[in-house]
Amino acid sequence: MDMKEINSHIPNYETFLTVDELDESTFQLARDYPDRVEVTCVGHSRAGHPIQLIKIGQGSKNALVFACPHPNEPIGSLTVDFMTRELASNEELEKELDYTWYFIKCIDIDGTKMNEGWFKGPFGITNYMHHYFRPAFRDQVEWTFPVQYKRLSFNSPIPETQVLMKLIDELHPEFMFSLHNLGFGGAYWYITKDIPELYPKFYEITKEMGVPLKLGEAEMPYCVEFAPAVFKMVKAKDSYDYTERFTDRDPAASTNYGTSSEDYANRDGKDHTMTFVCELPYFYSNKVDDTSLTDRDRSEVILESCDLKERLDAQNRAIFDKVKDLLDPDDNYFRRAVEEKLGGAGAIAAQRKWALSEQCAGKATVAQVWDNLYISRYFRCVNLCLLLRSIQFELQRAEARGFTQEEVERLNKALAETNATLDEQCAWLEENMDYQITPVKNLVTVQVTCGLLTAQYVSSHA
């Protein structure tokens, strides 16, 4: 498999495709290759939009690839857009990999549509923040798979998750590529099993594409690291055990969501489905991979991060509480996400206790300081955007909901306060994050390379 030749075919993607554009690209692919591409509607989103499944090849193994499991993560939709066309037009590659491929360009269609305001640019923190949406865990495709663990019992998968469950149960894929990305940070990977021979190739392509590695704090304290920036896939039980160890809270009582696609696919404990995730950033700073030591204790930096998050959460909650009674908890998905974010006291309490554990002893690196004190502020800022959009959502239907003039004025006042606070936070981030924007084509190139290399390895070792 000649990755340089394959990557030379990647279009010069500069912006992201909307859901409608992705659908049209899918149907055009089927028109261009009617004997090699099969497109089938396998379900509908909660709002009724068809979910299209693309089938290519007749290999001896099955591969399931799906993009936008989180709707603010559209890099993977372009990765799938390219991979489907490359496999359809390159029969030699398709036969070499020996898979029957199943692709979904966008699994969370409704949520992705809520992010389209920033898809065409301008690319930068401020525009991204003002059009951002990410649902609460109980509304996420990737985290509403059924699970039963200790006292945790969840079996309320959303319709989009049910589509993936059916495919996983029917296909039993040997390779599954769940396409994620992050807003700010560096490149990192999750994988079901440790495959050391792949990681130098991952590092090589990210360096070539100018993307730094995420070498500060892991995404979750309980992540198991196989190699720098490479982690074992996390499961619901990992979060449960961490919460149980570091708090006096009942993990089952504080969890209203399920587990991941990987955990569901391998729920018999045999790990027969190799799941792969390649996380990449829109924005990055050169400090995210700086492992030089500072003079600060890592535990002290983590505790300062907890203080920062509590302060920013309190600021957001003060606004939220003023209009909470006007934000519908059932169909205002922005409000549902805000409320979940503001309910993170337990997570912060666990992090405080974890910070004092032996695992956090020693001096912090520059990357760890950056993760704790800068990137954590970035991710708290997105909560303000969710709050802003939850208020806008209700104002757009104020007449239909029968709001009084006083209630509309209350919403408008909260909207102005949220807007001002968000602008203030974005200005701080723009001034202090010292960030660069990753070219979209580079992001797709990294995901395509890492995904195909992993698929090839799995196929040859199955």
Side-chain angles (χ1 to χ4, degrees):
M1 185 171 65
D2 187 344
M3 282 309 310
K4 287 191 178 298
E5 174 65 21
I6 293 169
N7 288 342
S8 71
H9 303 159
I10 296 176
N12 186 30
Y13 294 115
E14 294 182 338
T15 62
F16 297 102
L17 298 178
T18 65
V19 168
D20 288 344
E21 289 170 337
L22 289 169
D23 281 346
E24 175 52 34
S25 178
T26 293
F27 297 134
Q28 185 60 52
L29 182 70
R31 290 191 289 268
D32 291 344
Y33 300 95
D35 297 330
R36 292 186 48 75
V37 175
E38 179 183 330
V39 177
T40 309
C41 175
V42 288
H44 293 80
S45 72
R46 280 160 288 179
H49 193 102
I51 298 172
Q52 307 294 349
L53 179 72
I54 305 168
K55 179 183 177 182
I56 301 174
Q58 296 180 355
S60 65
K61 292 168 283 290
N62 289 332
L64 176 60
V65 184
F66 53 93
C68 300
H70 293 128
N72 61 307
E73 302 176 354
I75 296 171
S77 66
L78 299 183
T79 297
V80 173
D81 188 66
F82 169 73
M83 287 180 67
T84 50
R85 183 157 288 275
E86 182 69 12
L87 287 164
S89 62
N90 189 342
E91 191 171 354
E92 182 181 345
L93 173 64
E94 178 253 303
K95 290 186 181 301
E96 178 186 354
L97 291 170
D98 192 27
Y99 286 105
T100 303
W101 293 88
Y102 298 86
F103 293 95
I104 295 177
K105 286 186 179 178
C106 180
I107 187 62
D108 187 349
I109 291 171
D110 304 341
T112 299
K113 287 183 176 183
M114 296 181 194
N115 276 279
E116 290 179 349
W118 61 268
F119 278 14
K120 304 301 182 183
F123 293 115
I125 287 177
T126 299
N127 191 51
Y128 176 73
M129 291 292 181
H130 279 81
H131 297 94
Y132 167 95
F133 171 67
R134 184 183 179 95
F137 274 99
R138 61 177 165 154
D139 299 316
Q140 291 181 13
V141 178
E142 187 63 278
W143 286 104
T144 53
F145 286 84
V147 64
Q148 183 77 43
Y149 179 69
K150 294 184 178 178
R151 295 183 303 279
L152 174 61
S153 180
F154 179 89
N155 192 23
S156 300
I158 61 176
E160 296 87 343
T161 303
Q162 292 176 41
V163 168
L164 291 181
M165 288 169 59
K166 188 172 187 292
L167 288 171
I168 290 169
D169 290 344
E170 290 178 352
L171 302 175
H172 302 289
E174 283 84 356
F175 176 66
M176 189 160 67
F177 197 5
S178 178
L179 286 153
H180 293 259
N181 67 258
L182 67 156
F184 199 114
Y188 60 107
W189 300 266
Y190 290 109
I191 194 165
T192 299
K193 296 179 182 177
D194 193 11
I195 310 177
E197 39 278 62
L198 287 177
Y199 310 151
K201 298 174 184 178
F202 294 172
Y203 301 153
E204 180 182 358
I205 189 63
T206 51
K207 183 177 182 181
E208 184 181 339
M209 291 298 107
V211 183
L213 301 180
K214 175 179 169 59
L215 298 179
E217 301 288 358
E219 186 177 10
M220 284 83 66
Y222 44 84
C223 287
V224 175
E225 188 177 68
F226 286 145
V230 183
F231 303 92
K232 181 178 176 62
M233 288 291 302
V234 294
K235 305 176 187 295
K237 74 177 188 64
D238 301 321
S239 173
Y240 187 106
D241 291 343
Y242 168 78
T243 302
E244 190 173 49
R245 177 183 175 188
F246 289 104
T247 72
D248 57 1
R249 297 167 180 257
D250 178 2
S254 59
T255 303
N256 63 351
Y257 53 91
T259 194
S260 67
S261 54
E262 192 271 349
D263 199 4
Y264 180 78
N266 292 319
R267 59 194 181 279
D268 60 3
K270 296 181 180 179
D271 288 347
H272 45 74
T273 294
M274 179 68 75
T275 299
F276 180 60
V277 171
C278 177
E279 298 267 12
L280 297 168
Y282 307 121
F283 317 118
Y284 69 90
S285 162
N286 291 330
K287 294 181 180 178
V288 301
D289 63 352
D290 187 343
T291 57
S292 57
L293 293 175
T294 68
D295 60 357
R296 299 198 62 183
D297 290 337
R298 183 180 173 207
S299 58
E300 172 194 339
V301 174
I302 295 171
L303 291 172
E304 184 177 338
S305 174
C306 292
D307 292 340
L308 172 66
K309 287 183 280 193
E310 286 179 340
R311 185 169 69 252
L312 294 175
D313 285 353
Q315 182 183 49
N316 296 350
R317 179 169 287 283
I319 304 174
F320 176 71
D321 285 346
K322 295 175 183 177
V323 290
K324 178 180 177 180
D325 60 310
L326 301 178
L327 308 178
D328 193 309
D330 295 322
D331 67 349
N332 187 332
Y333 288 97
F334 303 105
R335 178 245 162 90
R336 288 155 70 106
V338 170
E339 195 155 37
E340 178 184 84
K341 296 289 186 183
L342 293 177
I348 295 175
Q351 190 176 24
R352 285 189 180 280
K353 189 171 180 181
W354 172 74
L356 302 177
S357 69
E358 185 176 340
Q359 187 177 347
C360 300
K363 297 300 181 182
T365 65
V366 170
Q368 287 169 339
V369 171
W370 192 256
D371 266 335
N372 280 295
L373 302 184
Y374 290 83
I375 294 181
S376 62
R377 184 162 183 161
Y378 165 92
F379 282 109
R380 244 44 188 189
C381 189
V382 300
N383 299 350
L384 272 169
C385 178
L386 293 170
L387 176 56
L388 181 76
R389 297 191 69 180
S390 71
I391 298 170
Q392 290 173 332
F393 182 78
E394 298 300 356
L395 280 170
Q396 289 167 0
R397 58 180 190 173
E399 183 176 350
R401 288 199 61 195
F403 285 154
T404 65
Q405 185 61 36
E406 182 276 329
E407 288 171 331
V408 171
E409 289 175 359
R410 186 150 53 99
L411 284 167
N412 276 316
K413 186 175 180 180
L415 181 69
E417 186 178 359
T418 308
N419 249 323
T421 307
L422 179 60
D423 287 344
E424 178 185 331
Q425 289 296 324
C426 284
W428 189 96
L429 293 170
E430 295 282 3
E431 182 178 350
N432 292 280
M433 294 299 276
D434 187 27
Y435 70 96
Q436 298 181 55
I437 302 169
T438 318
V440 175
K441 182 181 178 181
N442 292 22
L443 297 168
V444 174
T445 301
V446 174
Q447 276 198 339
V448 167
T449 301
C450 295
L452 287 179
L453 286 172
T454 307
Q456 181 186 48
Y457 178 93
V458 173
S459 180
S460 62
H461 290 77

